[in-house]
Amino acid sequence: MSTLCFSQVFQTVPLLQNGSNDKRINIAVLGDGFATTDQNTFITAAQNSSAYFFNKSPYSEYKNYFNVYAVKVISAETGMKHPGTATDVTEPEFPVSNPDNYFGSTFDYQDIHRCIYTDNENKIAQVLAL
């Protein structure tokens, strides 16, 4: 027997609303490495990303079919993990770091510096299920 228990509710901020969720394609923007004090920075980044996305064809032509929400996921510490293991740049390109971020996201996935990855699909699914 398996039981799922969710103890946290995440605040969502509508970035683009063009209709009811059941009649639109809904996009959730999740940040990682944004502590409580960084949430305004996250919302600004999410707004900028959404605007960039919908200023490009073919999405600009279909913008009215989408809703976009930013989900305020709070990390214990600011930043992304950076092991300094990438082989496509002379490491450390940025200082090696290991902050306590919510999803455990890290740079240097498969030795590519700019490739960010998390293997925490369960946590992502739990956040999206709420």
Side-chain angles (χ1 to χ4, degrees):
M1 182 174 163
S2 174
T3 303
L4 294 176
C5 180
F6 304 119
S7 63
Q8 202 165 13
V9 176
F10 301 91
Q11 181 185 1
T12 60
V13 176
L15 303 179
L16 177 68
Q17 290 190 290
N18 286 306
S20 62
N21 288 339
D22 62 335
K23 297 187 183 335
R24 295 292 179 264
I25 299 166
N26 299 293
I27 297 174
V29 180
L30 307 175
D32 199 14
F34 294 94
T36 301
T37 57
D38 304 318
Q39 290 304 302
N40 288 338
T41 301
F42 164 65
I43 294 301
T44 299
Q47 289 168 329
N48 291 341
S49 296
S50 178
Y52 179 83
F53 184 76
F54 287 107
N55 281 327
K56 302 291 180 191
S57 186
Y59 303 104
S60 57
E61 292 85 1
Y62 294 98
K63 181 178 180 178
N64 292 336
Y65 293 96
F66 289 85
N67 291 331
V68 180
Y69 299 92
V71 182
K72 290 185 171 184
V73 177
I74 309 294
S75 290
E77 297 178 320
T78 299
M80 299 292 283
K81 296 177 187 315
H82 181 241
T85 58
T87 57
D88 64 331
V89 296
T90 303
E91 288 286 11
E93 183 80 6
F94 293 96
V96 171
S97 63
N98 191 28
D100 183 8
N101 55 23
Y102 192 83
F103 296 117
S105 299
T106 181
F107 283 102
D108 297 350
Y109 179 65
Q110 294 189 345
D111 297 326
I112 301 169
H113 172 68
R114 294 193 60 132
C115 190
I116 299 172
Y117 175 78
T118 184
D119 61 0
N120 243 329
E121 295 90 8
N122 287 336
K123 257 190 168 174
I124 293 169
Q126 288 172 0
V127 169
L128 293 173
L130 300 174

